Amino acid sequence: HRSFHRNKYQNARCILNSGETKKLPGREEQLEELKQFFREHLENKSSGSLYVSGQPGTGKTACLSLLMHSPEFALSLQTVYINCTSIASIGGVYKKLSAELKLKSKGRTEHDNITAIQCYIQNSKDMLLVVLDEIDQLCSSKQSILYTIFEWPSLRNARLLLVGIANSLDLTERTLTRLNARCELKPKHIHFPPYTKQQIVEIFKSRLEEAEVLDIFPPVTIELLAAKVSAVSGDVRRALDIGRRAVEIAEQQKKAGNKKVNLQKFVMEAEGNIENLCKDILEPVQVTHVTAVVNKVYSASQSLHEDIEQSFPLQQKIMLCSLMLMLRNQRNKDITIGRLHEVYRRVCNKRNIHSLDQAEFVGLVDLVQTRGILHIIKKKEPRFGKVQLSWDEEEVTAALCDKQLIASILDDTASLNN
Amino acid sequence: ATKRVGTPKRNIHMSNIVEEMIFDKQDVLSTPKLKSKRSLAFGKEKDIEKILLEVTPKKPVEETPKRVQRSNSKYVKDSETPKTPSQKLKMIRSGELTPSFKEREGIEHSKLSKNDLQLARERLHVSVVPLSLPCREKEFENIYTFLEGKINDKCGGCMYISGVPGTGKTATVTGVIRALQKQVQEDMLPAFDYLEINGMRLTEPRQAYVHIYRQLTGKTVAWEHAHALLEKRFMTAAPRRITTVLIVDELDILCNRRQDVVYNLLDWPAKTAACLVVVTIANTMDLPERVLMGKVTSRLGLTRLTFQPYTHKQLQEIVTGRLGGSEAFKGEAIQLVARKVAAVSGDARRALDICRRATEIADSSKGKEICVNILHVQQALSEMIASAKVQAIKRCSRLEQILLQAIAAEVTRTGVEETYFMGVYTQFESIANFVGGILVPNTGQVLRLCSKLGAERLIICEHTRNDIFQKILLNVSTDDIHYALRVTPEATQ
């Protein structure tokens, strides 16, 4: 019994990974549009270009790889998929493409590869589908590569379907303005909007049903998770990540609780009623698990509240307080490390705390920077580096005001001036 | 003709690695391919080539015997004999030759001859990582369950670990890997491959591919080739693929402008065929949001773990844990170190270094009892958390001190941090006249003083060619100057 239930967590964890999938709920519209585009061009034997845009994690690559492997198009189309981040340099895309098409080019230069590809496009009998993923990597100052590639579909006798995938909505309009001059060159644009709450719920349900572990997520928790993610980014990778983390946390908590259960089991076995135990052995993911993960991810200064209590080194606290003191009371928000150091020293001296010298202090500010509270704009001399607060001023003050020492520093305007 | 060959000239790249050369008596001087090719190409030079072939072996015959005798005692392999530098390089690249260090000839001191302090110093060295890290049990558990789950599930994933330096990130991760490998040996867990790269050890982000591939196969290839081979490995499904755990230390160094390396390293785990688990380590907590592109952050995921700086209690526990049962340290001495370090950074390395320095001081002080007390620690602290600037100002010559005072006075007069030499010189003159008994130097001499203080970094000044218009900035606080000069007897006179 126990191994079976343990597998449920495992199954849920496995099924919530962000690998490739066969089913894409929530993307029916876009899939249909893509299919329509392919079918049209297949029937007319004409070439065309397409630009697919959307935020990360909205399923662009998943949709296209699904279509590329679907039997409807796999037989009638010759498909090539290239991820543009995997090429050595921007110009290397031609070499990669000719290698994928198994072409024999005359020489090794870029130009030879281009002529070989163009020759192939103009002479081949089959339709060719070229998918260029992360096409924004091919941008250069003159955009010669992108222009060359997007002009291929308009070559004579070409039967080429070109699909470019990228994140930005207006890449083709912004960088390839010359394509607007000729209508047949302009790529058709399909946008993948971020997933809505309902779509994320559907994705979760379909995935969990597939592994038959729907009972691990009560509907309320899925709704909460989907609402949080869709409100911020609509990135399904994030949603799956949060779901998986929630399952992991639930499992860990259960493991911790297992010791108690074992004891209970021991007692119950002695009494002879095992059925009673098996009923409540699967603990579904609670709302608290999801909120714990979400809060950790989407809030910054909340962690400061906890840190101040626990493990924020004293000198770093004083440094941060001095900075807040200066920001609150001085009109000039242009704070250099040197000026901050002087105020910090006065604050330290007043409280009989040993103060660090400048070389150490620069290191100290750097350590606080790694927490993301500050940002230092580096200058030629470390003394003149500018310190900027990256978090909300009022939130940080509110977090700092809790402690007595810190609150007293924030009121200490006398140490600002000599 | 069977002839012996000489030692190939040691390659420049291998200058720091001493290779054990093994030669056999039966070594045949087979003409390397390159030579034969060349002799074909330059037909006329064939004769010269022949002469060279006859002439060259003679020298080595006289040189080699020593080597042969030495190596005879060890294993002898025919195939492992490099004949030319290029052959040797080839063998190094294919991983047939393993780099080895020359061993020391003297015998190590036995442990018995060391006193308590020396033993303590050895234990306190940063490189001696204890088997189980104290005060990091929660983080250990966290990483362990993550990796164990991934290996059991046979699916890929990413994790991001952050924390300030010296908080035990890398040590904990390698500890987890060791524990997992132990589990594998006991057949409690499926086997897995373990690779690691460190961003700081790469000359260029793309060299990461080369390092990963070398750890997989032992061969060194160019990065384009390595990348293509790795992509082939991770993209295509293999029936008996085992999980690969890849540790990427210093992730922020791998981020270049295109971010293609980071993208690839984090994109492979998303492939179902890869079975790759990537654990990335960096200092910055918000690196994904601040530096990485949106698509890379999205792939990195939300499985994150932050190592908080050590508190003083934890640092105390670490140091006492290192010392074992040794009595070399007084309890309050350890506490002082722990409190001082925890107040600044919470860096365990710092605490251990200060403790080591304290043992050295105690050792040299030749006290009757061999024990580090609070005074030794205080001395070590003042050395390591030292502010040398006040001392430096005190040790300056009289004229330099007056110059510093003049700059400080000019800053207070104008209210701007940036001063010009002209104004400073006027202040200098008036102060010198006020103090009296000083012949006021001319501007050329004061410029020399300026450049000397600039070299000491007490002030920051421009190049001297700007003459009286050069900008001068103080690199110490004005308080420091007043403090240093008030205490010295000359200033009070």
Side-chain angles (χ1 to χ4, degrees), chain A residues 134 137 237 241 315 370 381, chain B residues 258 263 285 298 301 343 457:
Chain A
E134 312 289 356
Q137 293 274 338
R237 279 200 205 103
D241 254 347
Q315 302 277 3
T370 62
E381 297 294 332
Chain B
R258 266 182 81 195
Y263 177 90
M285 224 157 129
S298 170
R457 309 299 284 165

Side-chain angles (χ1 to χ4, degrees), chain A residues 76-340:
Chain A
S76 50
L77 273 168
Q78 187 190 357
T79 54
V80 174
Y81 173 85
I82 292 177
N83 193 328
C84 294
T85 42
S86 68
I87 51 175
S89 63
I90 305 173
V93 70
Y94 302 119
K95 196 182 161 194
K96 178 120 182 170
L97 189 58
S98 65
E100 292 276 330
L101 292 169
K102 301 193 182 73
L103 300 180
K104 277 178 190 164
S105 60
K106 277 178 192 169
R108 281 177 165 188
T109 59
E110 205 177 298
H111 188 72
D112 293 325
N113 280 319
I114 295 176
T115 44
I117 293 166
Q118 284 184 349
C119 201
Y120 177 81
I121 289 170
Q122 286 181 323
N123 296 327
S124 81
K125 301 277 188 306
D126 304 340
M127 286 291 277
L128 176 65
L129 171 64
V130 176
V131 179
L132 297 172
D133 204 346
E134 312 289 356
I135 204 170
D136 48 344
Q137 293 274 338
L138 294 182
C139 289
S140 57
S141 58
K142 281 187 184 171
Q143 312 287 10
S144 62
I145 290 158
L146 279 179
Y147 276 124
T148 319
I149 289 174
F150 274 98
E151 274 162 15
W152 284 341
S154 67
L155 287 175
R156 211 149 48 82
N157 295 333
R159 285 169 188 168
L160 171 72
L161 289 177
L162 186 72
V163 182
I165 307 177
N167 291 135
S168 64
L169 187 65
D170 56 344
L171 182 89
T172 45
E173 283 101 60
R174 182 161 41 86
T175 60
L176 304 174
T177 42
R178 273 194 295 173
L179 292 183
N180 289 338
R182 284 168 62 193
C183 275
E184 75 270 20
L185 282 179
K186 207 179 164 190
K188 185 181 155 67
H189 183 202
I190 295 182
H191 184 63
F192 278 55
Y195 284 106
T196 61
K197 180 188 163 192
Q198 203 49 45
Q199 283 170 332
I200 292 176
V201 171
E202 265 172 48
I203 290 168
F204 263 80
K205 275 188 180 161
S206 85
R207 285 204 175 207
L208 293 172
E209 263 167 18
E210 206 178 304
E212 297 169 350
V213 283
L214 194 57
D215 49 341
I216 208 166
F217 266 97
V220 193
T221 55
I222 302 184
E223 296 258 324
L224 173 74
L225 196 160
K228 286 274 182 192
V229 174
S230 64
V232 177
S233 61
D235 177 349
V236 78
R237 279 200 205 103
R238 288 210 139 189
L240 292 173
D241 254 347
I242 293 173
R244 203 173 51 231
R245 283 297 289 167
V247 173
E248 277 170 13
I249 290 173
E251 192 185 359
Q252 265 178 31
Q253 278 192 1
K254 214 194 125 202
K255 259 189 194 167
N258 250 2
K259 285 173 193 167
K260 285 182 201 165
V261 175
N262 276 344
L263 258 177
Q264 273 180 14
K265 195 178 169 186
F266 194 71
V267 175
M268 282 184 188
E269 267 176 0
E271 287 171 6
N273 49 352
I274 299 174
E275 296 142 39
N276 217 359
L277 173 86
C278 286
K279 246 184 229 168
D280 54 359
I281 201 155
L282 178 80
E283 286 165 22
V285 177
Q286 301 295 326
V287 176
T288 49
H289 297 151
V290 175
T291 45
V293 178
V294 169
N295 278 346
K296 220 177 181 181
V297 174
Y298 288 122
S299 63
S301 57
Q302 202 174 8
S303 63
L304 187 66
H305 274 285
E306 292 165 13
D307 282 349
I308 292 272
E309 300 291 324
Q310 290 170 5
S311 56
F312 207 67
L314 180 73
Q315 302 277 3
Q316 296 183 14
K317 274 186 214 173
I318 296 173
M319 191 277 291
L320 199 58
C321 289
S322 317
L323 178 66
M324 292 308 298
L325 179 71
M326 290 171 83
L327 281 175
R328 275 171 80 184
N329 297 310
Q330 290 188 342
R331 205 175 294 159
N332 183 5
K333 308 284 180 196
D334 198 36
I335 296 170
T336 59
I337 291 183
R339 278 182 58 206
L340 179 61

Side-chain angles (χ1 to χ4, degrees), chain A residues 13-53:
Chain A
R13 257 189 298 151
C14 270
I15 206 69
L16 291 178
N17 77 339
S18 48
E20 301 106 72
T21 47
K22 291 274 171 324
K23 278 191 205 164
L24 287 168
R27 285 286 167 245
E28 293 86 3
E29 216 177 288
Q30 279 79 14
L31 270 174
E32 197 47 51
E33 204 174 338
L34 283 169
K35 273 184 192 169
Q36 194 62 38
F37 175 79
F38 288 162
R39 270 187 212 130
E40 241 173 54
H41 285 283
L42 269 174
E43 277 170 21
N44 300 341
K45 296 263 177 195
S46 63
S47 52
S49 57
L50 181 69
Y51 174 65
V52 177
S53 71

Side-chain angles (χ1 to χ4, degrees), chain B residues 74-351:
Chain B
K74 294 194 176 180
Y75 51 90
V76 175
K77 269 188 195 170
D78 213 18
S79 62
E80 275 195 20
T81 321
K83 280 125 193 162
T84 58
S86 65
Q87 272 176 327
K88 186 178 159 194
L89 211 61
K90 217 181 202 173
M91 286 174 82
I92 291 167
R93 286 212 180 109
S94 63
E96 287 169 46
L97 277 179
T98 45
S100 60
F101 283 104
K102 191 173 180 181
E103 274 176 31
R104 204 168 276 184
E105 286 181 5
I107 312 147
E108 270 188 54
H109 291 288
S110 64
K111 278 197 172 175
L112 294 172
S113 63
K114 285 174 184 169
N115 64 12
D116 253 13
L117 276 177
Q118 277 168 329
L119 278 176
R121 190 150 68 232
E122 239 171 53
R123 284 195 197 134
L124 285 171
H125 198 276
V126 185
S127 67
V128 187
V129 180
L131 285 174
S132 71
L133 277 174
C135 313
R136 287 290 177 226
E137 289 83 10
K138 230 174 90 190
E139 286 82 0
F140 185 92
E141 185 68 29
N142 210 323
I143 302 170
Y144 187 87
T145 42
F146 172 80
L147 283 177
E148 192 194 24
K150 290 289 174 205
I151 292 169
N152 270 325
D153 296 354
K154 293 220 164 194
C155 64
C158 306
M159 186 175 197
Y160 179 71
I161 296 171
S162 63
V164 290
T167 46
K169 301 182 293 294
T170 315
T172 309
V173 173
T174 44
V176 169
I177 295 287
R178 242 182 285 128
L180 288 169
Q181 278 168 342
K182 214 174 179 186
Q183 289 274 307
V184 172
Q185 277 177 2
E186 288 166 9
D187 278 337
M188 307 278 277
L189 201 74
F192 66 94
D193 278 335
Y194 163 58
L195 316 171
E196 66 172 334
I197 54 170
N198 187 328
M200 287 293 235
R201 290 202 192 119
L202 311 174
T203 48
E204 209 234 350
R206 281 156 170 182
Q207 288 294 316
Y209 302 131
V210 179
H211 280 247
I212 294 170
Y213 188 71
R214 189 192 297 148
Q215 284 178 49
L216 277 172
T217 60
K219 284 171 191 157
T220 311
V221 293
W223 74 262
E224 288 102 337
H225 193 47
H227 172 236
L229 289 167
L230 284 173
E231 200 157 65
K232 204 170 143 197
R233 180 193 155 96
F234 290 127
M235 295 286 196
T236 49
R240 261 177 284 165
R241 166 80 35 92
I242 56 172
T243 312
T244 315
V245 179
L246 170 66
I247 311 287
V248 182
D249 214 338
E250 313 286 355
L251 180 74
D252 40 347
I253 309 292
L254 287 177
C255 303
N256 46 2
R257 205 174 53 82
R258 266 182 81 195
Q259 305 199 350
D260 52 338
V261 178
V262 199
Y263 177 90
N264 279 321
L265 287 182
L266 297 176
D267 193 35
W268 287 331
K271 307 276 180 273
T272 353
C275 284
L276 179 69
V277 187
V278 179
V279 179
T280 52
I281 304 174
N283 288 346
T284 321
M285 224 157 129
D286 55 347
L287 181 88
E289 281 74 29
R290 192 193 292 178
V291 180
L292 299 177
M293 290 181 195
K295 53 191 176 188
V296 181
T297 310
S298 170
R299 280 169 175 80
L300 184 60
L302 300 170
T303 316
R304 305 208 181 149
L305 182 66
T306 310
F307 279 65
Q308 295 296 343
Y310 288 113
T311 61
H312 70 91
K313 274 182 192 156
Q314 288 172 330
L315 283 175
Q316 216 174 323
E317 205 178 317
I318 288 166
V319 174
T320 39
R322 290 276 181 126
L323 287 171
S326 159
E327 299 282 308
F329 263 84
K330 287 241 170 88
E332 69 261 22
I334 298 175
Q335 198 171 359
L336 180 67
V337 174
R339 279 188 186 275
K340 281 280 180 186
V341 174
V344 178
S345 59
D347 185 341
R349 282 186 206 125
R350 189 73 181 263

